[in-house]
Amino acid sequence: MTETAVRSNITLKGSAQMIREFFFYGINSILYQRGIYPSDNFDRVKQYGITLLVNRDHKLQQFLKPLLEQVEHWLSKRLLKKLILVLSDVSTKEVLERWQFDIENEAIDGEETKQDEKKVKQGIADVIKQIVASVAFLPLLETQCAFDVLIYTGKEVEMPEDWADSSACLLENPEEVQLRCLSTGIHKVHTKVQYKADL
């Protein structure tokens, strides 16, 4: 086997698509693991060699599809800095958990990189497995919770009309766990979760 047989070129556009897909499955995994939607709302799908759970709620799909299309567009322009999934108490609005995905644009020449696509997908699977395993240390969410997605871009970026400014939704004195990092060779995603230890 020559090196070119096991490595493939990942373009900026291809990398943006892979990260968008990671966010889709990652967000669905968090919503399932943290009980934000009833478990029977989720269907099992096989992806990256593992079984993942995807919510079939129509309203959620209507929310996520345009959001992730916009995220992919910003990734392809190297404008996305971070995506944050916030879980908060429905009645008190208190932020209980904050899943942060920091995007690092890796320094490369041109618009593509030689990278083993299989390895990238394995990296995505490894992070999602960690998200699934996180229920072992995260406190039980005993109140009804809602979620929101925060997007950080450069100041020069024009926001879609139906998007609104938000506070940073920070937690006071949170515990923090850093998960694995994944890389396409063009984008690197650092994942961490912050949570209240004394729920």
Side-chain angles (χ1 to χ4, degrees):
M1 288 286 267
T2 63
E3 192 188 4
T4 49
V6 292
R7 294 170 80 80
S8 56
N9 283 8
I10 293 179
T11 61
L12 181 56
K13 189 180 175 196
S15 174
Q17 286 170 344
M18 290 171 102
I19 300 300
R20 170 202 172 162
E21 196 175 76
F22 162 66
F23 283 145
F24 174 76
Y25 290 115
I27 288 170
N28 272 280
S29 294
I30 294 165
L31 296 178
Y32 175 80
Q33 295 300 331
R34 306 310 286 139
I36 307 302
Y37 286 84
S39 57
D40 55 9
N41 272 27
F42 291 81
D43 293 326
R44 291 175 183 277
V45 294
K46 198 91 171 154
Q47 188 75 358
Y48 314 120
I50 57 176
T51 301
L52 300 170
L53 290 142
V54 173
N55 195 313
R56 62 176 173 274
D57 183 274
H58 184 60
K59 280 186 180 165
L60 177 64
Q61 298 302 341
Q62 280 184 319
F63 171 77
L64 283 181
K65 192 172 184 287
L67 172 86
L68 293 175
E69 281 170 0
Q70 187 64 58
V71 159
E72 183 183 331
H73 172 71
W74 283 329
L75 282 164
S76 69
K77 304 281 186 202
R78 299 179 184 269
L79 294 170
L80 188 71
K81 294 183 175 177
K82 59 182 79 172
L83 180 148
I84 298 169
L85 182 70
V86 176
L87 305 184
S88 53
D89 186 313
V90 167
S91 52
T92 65
K93 309 287 187 235
E94 183 187 9
V95 176
L96 304 176
E97 252 172 54
R98 201 170 184 273
W99 293 80
Q100 184 163 319
F101 303 91
D102 291 313
I103 314 293
E104 186 186 326
N105 292 307
E106 299 192 73
I108 57 156
D109 298 324
E111 295 289 289
E112 59 180 51
T113 180
K114 288 206 181 309
Q115 187 77 291
D116 185 346
E117 198 173 315
K118 201 173 166 189
K119 201 174 167 188
V120 175
K121 289 184 173 177
Q122 184 57 54
I124 292 174
D126 288 344
V127 177
I128 293 176
K129 281 182 196 167
Q130 281 194 308
I131 289 171
V132 172
S134 67
V135 289
F137 64 81
L138 289 171
L140 198 62
L141 296 173
E142 291 177 335
T143 58
Q144 192 183 351
C145 291
F147 81 94
D148 223 332
V149 178
L150 311 181
I151 304 286
Y152 285 73
T153 59
K155 284 188 168 62
E156 71 286 357
V157 174
E158 216 170 285
M159 286 289 152
E161 279 180 17
D162 56 345
W163 289 37
D165 284 338
S166 164
S167 70
C169 299
L170 300 173
L171 287 92
E172 279 184 46
N173 307 316
E175 296 285 330
E176 183 174 299
V177 175
Q178 192 82 40
L179 305 187
R180 282 174 188 255
C181 174
L182 75 91
S183 169
T184 64
I186 292 175
H187 299 103
K188 192 178 267 190
V189 185
H190 303 272
T191 303
K192 66 182 177 187
V193 57
Q194 293 181 328
Y195 59 96
K196 281 181 75 76
D198 53 347
L199 282 185

